[in-house]
Amino acid sequence: TVTQEPRKRALLLGILKSGFNSGNDDNDDMELSLMLKQRLSGQRYLVVLDDIWDSKDWNDLMLCFPDDNVGSRIVFTTRLVDVPLQVQSGCYQHPLGFLNEMESWDLLRYKVFLDESCPLSLVEIGKKIASKCHGLPLSIVVIAGVLANDTTLQWWSQVAQDMKSIAPEQYMDTLVLSYNHLPDHLKPCFLYFAAFPEDCEIPAWKLILLWVAEGFIKIQTTEYNSEGERNMLEEVAAEYLKDLISRSLIIVYKSRSNGGIKSCVVHDALRDLCIRKAEEENFMHHIPNIYEYCK
């Protein structure tokens, strides 16, 4: 796992110890890099680097992995769409969407029962619980951990009725990383989603106008009249929205024929994060209920 603040030395040691039971704290970065390259040379290997936040973290490591044309592969995961575009060598991108209801149930069932079959009495309520996770694997895994402790119909029914109050802390810390990684100018735009009702389809053009009206969008220019400045503010706001989408924080709900964003939504788990951070920062104190803007 790379994390937000990776340490090259720790990563190299982790790979060497997990794959070859070698490497120690006495080796410097250069020695560890050379040791890993020698170990992998001529070998067919698969390396998975999870949660990369910056392309330079991969670029710092790539020379440690020799390409001897024997079918080796390196997979890395990231929450940021632009990271794969910035790596020094070309790579194949595989954007992950949300799970459908069947995939959600399959994951939930596996995490609770592993290779055993699910009792028929729990199938219907289990599918209902999986559906309430709205296709987010992280939510499904957390809820599965709660369900695995008690596989009675009574407990599963209780979980289905009150999912929001069960074990949110287990995945909230993971989601907070995405918020903390936001530049300052995007944080108020993201927290503003706390003002919208749950599962609300938000027209992009209305959201952009609201951001501009709230003063979230700043530009430094004296070259435009009032109308030109407003158009510039709206263009910048549209780029802010695209940035939040590229960071996997906001979901495109409908697209325009030209590929633009017609409307968007925020996942329930991320909306919960918005509400929590907005309360912590007194962000929503002066913002009214804006339910009518979803219509």
Side-chain angles (χ1 to χ4, degrees):
T1 301
V2 181
T3 73
Q4 255 183 305
E5 299 179 0
R7 293 175 298 166
K8 183 177 181 180
R9 178 182 180 78
L11 287 171
L12 292 171
L13 272 172
I15 295 172
L16 282 165
K17 289 182 177 180
S18 65
F20 306 102
N21 195 28
S22 61
N24 58 65
D25 294 334
D26 295 330
N27 300 120
D28 60 29
D29 287 7
M30 184 68 72
E31 290 173 328
L32 292 172
S33 298
L34 182 60
M35 189 182 303
L36 179 58
K37 187 171 185 177
Q38 290 174 339
R39 289 284 190 172
L40 294 176
S41 181
Q43 303 293 321
R44 186 181 183 189
Y45 59 85
L46 170 66
V47 175
V48 181
L49 301 172
D50 185 36
D51 207 14
I52 290 182
W53 290 81
D54 194 318
S55 58
K56 70 179 182 62
D57 299 328
W58 160 244
N59 293 333
D60 287 344
L61 289 171
M62 62 182 297
L63 295 179
C64 302
F65 300 104
D67 183 4
D68 296 324
N69 295 316
V70 292
S72 297
R73 292 291 183 268
I74 298 171
V75 178
F76 66 80
T77 68
T78 179
R79 309 184 197 193
L80 309 178
V81 171
D82 60 341
V83 167
L85 304 177
Q86 298 170 355
V87 297
Q88 291 182 5
S89 58
C91 67
Y92 171 76
Q93 296 183 58
H94 180 62
L96 291 177
F98 290 97
L99 305 181
N100 60 37
E101 291 193 3
M102 181 59 69
E103 291 168 336
S104 298
W105 167 235
D106 285 343
L107 177 59
L108 180 68
R109 180 178 55 191
Y110 174 76
K111 296 300 293 185
V112 174
F113 299 104
L114 298 179
D115 294 326
E116 298 180 6
S117 59
C118 173
L120 291 177
S121 60
L122 296 176
V123 171
E124 183 177 351
I125 191 66
K127 289 182 176 180
K128 181 179 180 181
I129 292 171
S131 177
K132 286 190 173 185
C133 292
H134 299 288
L136 185 66
L138 185 59
S139 295
I140 296 170
V141 170
V142 169
I143 291 299
V146 176
L147 297 174
N149 295 323
D150 186 345
T151 55
T152 63
L153 180 58
Q154 179 181 1
W155 173 242
W156 282 38
S157 298
Q158 183 179 335
V159 170
Q161 292 174 2
D162 196 19
M163 284 181 60
K164 283 188 175 295
S165 65
I166 296 176
E169 298 298 337
Q170 295 184 45
Y171 60 81
M172 192 59 70
D173 289 345
T174 302
L175 299 179
V176 166
L177 286 176
S178 292
Y179 175 77
N180 291 340
H181 195 260
L182 285 174
D184 289 340
H185 67 272
L186 287 182
K187 287 182 176 178
C189 296
F190 176 64
L191 294 183
Y192 198 70
F193 284 91
F196 292 94
E198 186 176 9
D199 299 326
C200 172
E201 179 187 350
I202 307 166
W205 69 272
K206 288 186 178 180
L207 177 65
I208 286 169
L209 291 180
L210 286 167
W211 281 350
V212 171
E214 295 290 351
F216 297 158
I217 315 301
K218 305 294 184 182
I219 58 173
Q220 294 181 346
T221 178
T222 57
E223 299 178 4
Y224 298 94
N225 56 29
S226 58
E227 182 177 354
E229 182 176 350
R230 186 189 66 209
N231 291 337
M232 176 64 73
L233 287 168
E234 291 175 11
E235 289 176 9
V236 173
E239 291 302 315
Y240 284 10
L241 179 58
K242 291 179 182 178
D243 201 348
L244 288 173
I245 290 168
S246 74
R247 294 169 183 269
S248 304
L249 291 171
I250 305 301
I251 307 163
V252 176
Y253 190 79
K254 291 179 182 176
S255 298
R256 300 187 183 279
S257 57
N258 62 1
I261 305 164
K262 186 174 183 179
S263 63
C264 59
V265 295
V266 59
H267 191 279
D268 288 354
L270 286 163
R271 181 175 176 271
D272 290 343
L273 172 64
C274 286
I275 293 172
R276 175 175 298 199
K277 299 302 292 185
E279 290 175 349
E280 289 177 2
E281 301 177 16
N282 274 330
F283 178 79
M284 302 301 296
H285 184 66
H286 299 294
I287 296 179
N289 187 310
I290 50 178
Y291 174 78
E292 63 271 16
Y293 289 102
C294 296
K295 297 179 181 178

